[in-house]
Amino acid sequence: MGYRVAVVGATGNVGREMLAILAEREFPMDEVAAVASSRSVGSEVELGDTGKMLKCQNLEHFDFAGWDIALFAVGSEATKIYAPKAAAAGCVVIDNSSLYRMDPDVPLIVPEVNPDAIDDYTKKNIIANPNCSTAQMVVALKPLHDAATIKRVVVSTYQSVSGAGKAGMDELFEQSRAIFVGDPVEPKKFTKQIAFNVIPHIDTFLDDGFTKEEWKMVVETKKILDPKVKVQATCVRVPVFVGHSEAISIEFENEISAKQAQDLLREAPGIMLIDKREDGGYVTPVECAGDYATFVSRVREDPTVDNGLVLWCVSDNLRKGAALNAVQIAELLGRRHLKKG
């Protein structure tokens, strides 16, 4: 007997990826529903590459009773209304928005990092999926933290426009085309031109000068990995369609060499180490798009601090940063608690 799974926000970038990954990983489903806003009702989305088309149902009228799992890929406003309704109906919500991430009664899960935390899901029947840039970073940090105890992390991100949804991808395409043909460039989704540019600003500014995206990386890393780890982040939007990159500097309590780190990362779940000290011996966003792994390259010792390492981390933000992690949470939930399929 399999699960009944609802994908909420099925017509968006992440929702479509969720459907694709459910199919690719052969998640044990008896039934899957594509749920979306009223403007998408009646349109069809494909269940991965299976050829099976799903007609979108209206979120406003969808009855979650009898459904086992709902993967939410809608904004916080809609989630705030409908996630509690789904949870109250007995359907476990796995939410990709930021709404519940820091709720003390909602586990924030990356299965390779803190699987045991999922046991607290019954408090609200909701499980939170972390921010895309946090998810890939903690996967890379976990084996190193277990080995040598991380004190401090300084990370600079290079985040693709798909993190801002379809509108972000469209804007990069349209601006690039406009530049080539000599048309004027007008920023709409982003605060400045994104084509052939970088923007050191993601989400809203806070009173201390950091942005909310940077704040998310700090507090989510503490909740998932270890509350004692200090994190400082600078988050930057770059003209890449899919794939987030991160330059990560790590300071440890205990000594760890680059060779030891490479050996640990090579064997760690969810990580692919590609680290050759030669031209092209590293991974870029173009190569990671469409892949499940979190790629780590350029592992080296930091001579400016005691017990320091520096590394490069790349992942498909629509997959490990969102849809894949959500499906992995569903798989973990099934193994540990629901036990169907």
Side-chain angles (χ1 to χ4, degrees):
M1 189 166 100
Y3 298 96
R4 299 182 76 214
V5 179
V7 176
V8 181
T11 58
N13 285 346
V14 174
R16 289 176 185 273
E17 282 293 321
M18 286 175 170
L19 290 168
I21 292 167
L22 286 168
E24 286 173 17
R25 293 174 74 88
E26 298 181 341
F27 189 80
M29 298 181 294
D30 283 348
E31 187 176 358
V32 58
V35 184
S37 65
S38 57
R39 63 180 177 272
S40 297
V41 171
S43 62
E44 292 188 333
V45 290
E46 187 176 2
L47 180 60
D49 293 324
T50 64
K52 181 178 180 180
M53 302 304 296
L54 305 172
K55 188 167 285 188
C56 290
Q57 302 181 52
N58 192 341
L59 174 59
E60 294 176 22
H61 307 302
F62 189 78
D63 184 2
F64 288 95
W67 292 83
D68 299 298
I69 299 169
L71 304 177
F72 267 64
V74 291
S76 294
E77 290 184 14
T79 299
K80 189 174 183 178
I81 298 169
Y82 296 105
K85 291 181 179 180
C91 179
V92 182
V93 172
I94 300 172
D95 177 36
N96 196 59
S97 81
S98 61
L99 184 64
Y100 291 104
R101 290 175 188 159
M102 298 315 298
D103 187 323
D105 291 331
V106 174
L108 180 64
I109 302 295
V110 176
E112 299 95 333
V113 180
N114 63 334
D116 293 347
I118 202 171
D119 297 342
D120 290 333
Y121 84 94
T122 54
K123 291 179 180 178
K124 286 193 174 178
N125 230 26
I126 297 172
I127 303 165
N129 207 19
N131 186 40
C132 47
S133 49
T134 304
Q136 69 185 68
M137 184 172 77
V138 295
V139 169
L141 294 180
K142 171 64 173 174
L144 305 178
H145 184 56
D146 287 348
T149 310
I150 294 171
K151 291 170 56 178
R152 180 172 181 256
V153 175
V154 178
V155 56
S156 295
T157 71
Y158 306 77
Q159 294 178 228
S160 68
V161 294
S162 58
K166 183 178 182 297
M169 299 178 77
D170 288 346
E171 185 148 320
L172 174 57
F173 178 84
E174 289 162 5
Q175 287 185 359
S176 299
R177 177 196 165 280
I179 289 169
F180 278 122
V181 300
D183 287 346
V185 173
E186 296 181 16
K188 296 175 184 176
K189 178 67 178 178
F190 300 113
T191 55
K192 297 198 177 191
Q193 175 185 314
I194 185 61
F196 306 97
N197 197 18
V198 298
I199 304 173
H201 171 201
I202 301 175
D203 213 320
T204 56
F205 275 96
L206 306 177
D207 289 343
D208 61 4
F210 287 92
T211 64
K212 193 172 182 183
E213 184 82 357
E214 292 157 355
W215 173 83
K216 289 174 192 173
M217 292 196 73
V218 174
V219 296
E220 292 175 18
T221 300
K222 287 176 175 289
K223 183 172 179 178
I224 297 167
L225 186 66
D226 188 333
K228 295 189 292 293
V229 172
K230 296 179 179 179
V231 182
Q232 192 269 95
T234 300
C235 293
V236 182
R237 190 73 73 192
V238 298
V240 170
F241 282 108
V242 177
H244 287 359
S245 305
E246 297 171 347
I248 308 173
S249 297
I250 314 163
E251 186 178 354
F252 297 87
E253 287 187 10
N254 304 307
E255 187 175 349
I256 182 170
S257 68
K259 175 65 166 60
Q260 289 171 318
Q262 288 169 323
D263 291 342
L264 290 165
L265 292 164
R266 191 175 287 113
E267 301 301 322
I271 292 175
M272 182 72 69
L273 180 73
I274 307 292
D275 193 11
K276 299 177 181 177
R277 296 178 177 181
E278 60 187 43
D279 292 352
Y282 42 81
V283 174
T284 65
V286 169
E287 289 111 46
C288 84
D291 206 295
Y292 286 155
T294 295
F295 293 88
V296 177
S297 306
R298 302 213 58 215
V299 180
R300 56 210 190 272
E301 290 159 24
D302 182 351
T304 68
V305 295
D306 293 333
N307 307 326
L309 291 177
V310 184
L311 56 83
W312 175 251
C313 176
V314 180
S315 188
D316 183 329
N317 55 294
L318 297 179
R319 293 206 153 206
K320 187 54 189 172
L324 171 62
N325 200 71
V327 174
Q328 287 177 307
I329 291 171
E331 292 169 344
L332 177 65
L333 178 70
R335 290 194 302 271
R336 291 179 77 115
H337 297 285
L338 303 185
K339 300 185 186 299
K340 286 187 179 182

